Amino acid sequence: MLTFLNFPQILIWLWNASLLASYSLVLNGEIFGHFKGAKGLRQGDPLSPILFTIAMEYLSRILKHTTSTMPFKFHPMCSQLKLSHLMFADDLLLFCKGDVNSIMILLRSFATFSCASGLQMNSTKSNAYFNGVHSWVKQDILQVSGFKEGHLPFTYLGVPITCGRMKKTDCNIHVEKLINIFVIPTGVLNKLNAICRNYLWDGGAEFVRVPMVGWEKVYLKGQDWKDYKPSGDLSWGWKSVCKVKDKLDTGYQNGHWLLDARGYTLRSGYDLIRHKFPNVPWHKQIWNSWSLPKHQFIGWLISREALMLKDKLFSLGIAPDDDCLLCGKGGESHTHLFQTCEYSRRLLDEVSKFLRITLPVSNPLQRIADGQFSQVQKGVILSAISTTFYHIWLQRNKARVDGLIQGPELLRELIQKELKARIAVYLSQGVVHGDNVWLRSRSLIV
């Protein structure tokens, strides 16, 4: 599917590599064990939704083809859009007119998909829902499909699904879970209001006694919210809401919001009520749009000196020594590992060679940001440095677990390939001539 959809070959290669992942365990800051995944992806794996989407794209194209080339009849409410199916997470909803021929076309589509993918439909967990279908047609459909008959309304993601407007009785068992995506009947709103009242007086959904204060007197009526002050006998939560209101009020002067010329925005209001820290000097270099999120995260931890290196583990009595795992010639601190370590310097020098720049020993990200480069060139160099730091950290961990260290020359080739793939995606719309020449001279684009 990735090849058919014209994804870059390098991305397909990375995808295949990700399916052959190996795992280790982190206990008390130390990495132990090394074992390969042998069961494929399981529910909860971050890649599972992506894999499902790619597989279901093939099924979607089969359904689109068969419903448009065969005598398929759409559901009366879906015919204008030619809608035959909807997908969400790992669930599939199918729609068609209640006749055997249309059902058979859907089943044949599934059979084609199963032959190609190896995925099978579980008919025991599938239901067919009917409305306005003759009983004999219904029985034929259930017999050929193997489905069980379901009854409307059914619950999907905690929400009642029905073919018409929901009634009050349809919502009774879902009042606590109902989300505001439907026009809710007045009776349901009254019941929700009753739950709020009962919770106020008794802390639960049920309250059979007469309330001590009428509900109409609990809310603010006839008072100006701007000047409202809570009395001392009210709850801490309500007083906190009023404190936020008072703090936001300081941002107004003569009816105008002072923090943003456009008027009040959520961002400017949030900046007023929170404690805002000043920007650190390295934030643009770490959180740049060129670097991958995992590289940015490791770069942020390095800037904060928050990685669990051996100098910290040794001081806590967890590691027996603080010797650098890559060169063995110094204490493994953030400054040593990412600046003065012989292995790290050799790798940074290799990256400097194919970038044709000189990387300083201290604070290379800031030096590059202040250098005379175009925005594209700065982005590429910053991404290269972030990628290098990430692989230094990765090599350190591999040395800890496996006792193996990959040579800087081979690692440089991997960094260069990753950088070329990133550039290919980021610059899909092309670049100006000067940047094009600069990238070609460093073999970063074809």
Side-chain angles (χ1 to χ4, degrees), residues 174-199:
H174 302 289
V175 168
E176 295 181 1
K177 299 180 180 179
L178 195 61
I179 55 177
N180 191 22
I181 59 175
F182 297 112
V183 178
I184 303 176
T186 303
V188 177
L189 294 176
N190 291 337
K191 188 166 186 178
L192 291 173
N193 214 12
I195 291 176
C196 294
R197 292 197 304 269
N198 297 339
Y199 180 81

Side-chain angles (χ1 to χ4, degrees), residues 101-157:
N101 286 336
S102 297
I103 294 293
M104 290 300 298
I105 291 174
L106 294 179
L107 294 177
R108 289 169 188 163
S109 300
F110 268 102
T112 303
F113 174 72
S114 296
C115 290
S117 66
L119 299 175
Q120 299 290 329
M121 175 176 55
N122 190 337
S123 59
T124 61
K125 292 185 177 181
S126 303
N127 289 333
Y129 298 91
F130 302 91
N131 189 43
V133 178
H134 292 294
S135 58
W136 61 269
V137 177
K138 183 188 303 185
Q139 293 303 317
D140 287 346
I141 291 176
L142 294 175
Q143 185 175 1
V144 299
S145 66
F147 295 159
K148 298 178 295 184
E149 181 179 2
H151 299 281
L152 297 173
F154 65 91
T155 301
Y156 182 65
L157 299 179

Side-chain angles (χ1 to χ4, degrees), residues 349-361:
D349 288 342
E350 289 291 330
V351 175
S352 299
K353 289 178 183 178
F354 82 75
L355 289 176
R356 300 185 184 181
I357 60 173
T358 301
L359 291 177
V361 174

Side-chain angles (χ1 to χ4, degrees), residues 389-409:
F389 283 171
Y390 173 81
H391 280 284
I392 291 174
W393 173 241
L394 210 60
Q395 285 299 308
R396 180 266 181 198
N397 294 334
K398 289 182 178 179
R400 170 66 183 82
V401 176
D402 301 327
L404 300 175
I405 301 176
Q406 193 171 4
E409 296 79 9

Side-chain angles (χ1 to χ4, degrees), residues 12 64 69 72-73 106 201 308 317 351 372 417 419 444:
I12 300 175
K64 183 178 180 180
T69 59
F72 176 84
K73 296 180 180 179
L106 294 179
W201 299 120
M308 292 301 292
V351 175
Q372 299 299 316
K417 287 181 179 179
L419 191 60
L444 293 175

Side-chain angles (χ1 to χ4, degrees), residues 268-305:
S268 59
Y270 181 65
D271 287 341
L272 179 65
I273 63 175
R274 69 171 177 151
H275 179 65
K276 189 175 182 181
F277 294 96
N279 288 332
V280 292
W282 43 260
H283 75 284
K284 289 185 178 179
Q285 287 74 57
I286 297 296
W287 306 111
N288 66 84
S289 60
W290 283 82
S291 299
L292 293 175
K294 62 180 181 181
H295 298 170
Q296 294 173 346
F297 182 69
I298 294 299
W300 175 65
L301 292 178
I302 294 171
S303 300
R304 292 289 186 185
E305 296 191 356

Side-chain angles (χ1 to χ4, degrees), residues 21-22 76 131 142 145 195 205 255 260 291 293 322 328 343 348 364 417 427 436:
S22 58
N131 189 43
L142 294 175
S145 66
I195 291 176
D260 196 314
S291 299
D322 64 348
Y343 178 90
L348 285 167
K417 287 181 179 179
L427 300 181
N436 190 292

Side-chain angles (χ1 to χ4, degrees), residues 14-62:
L14 291 173
W15 171 266
N16 290 332
S18 69
L19 299 181
L20 303 175
S22 58
Y23 304 90
S24 298
L25 300 178
V26 179
L27 299 175
N28 297 326
E30 288 284 303
I31 300 178
F32 299 93
H34 184 77
F35 55 94
K36 292 184 177 180
K39 295 294 186 180
L41 298 181
R42 287 293 181 265
Q43 187 173 1
D45 191 298
L47 286 177
S48 294
I50 303 174
L51 183 62
F52 173 80
T53 301
I54 294 174
M56 291 300 104
E57 176 63 22
Y58 180 53
L59 176 59
S60 292
R61 292 175 182 237
I62 292 176

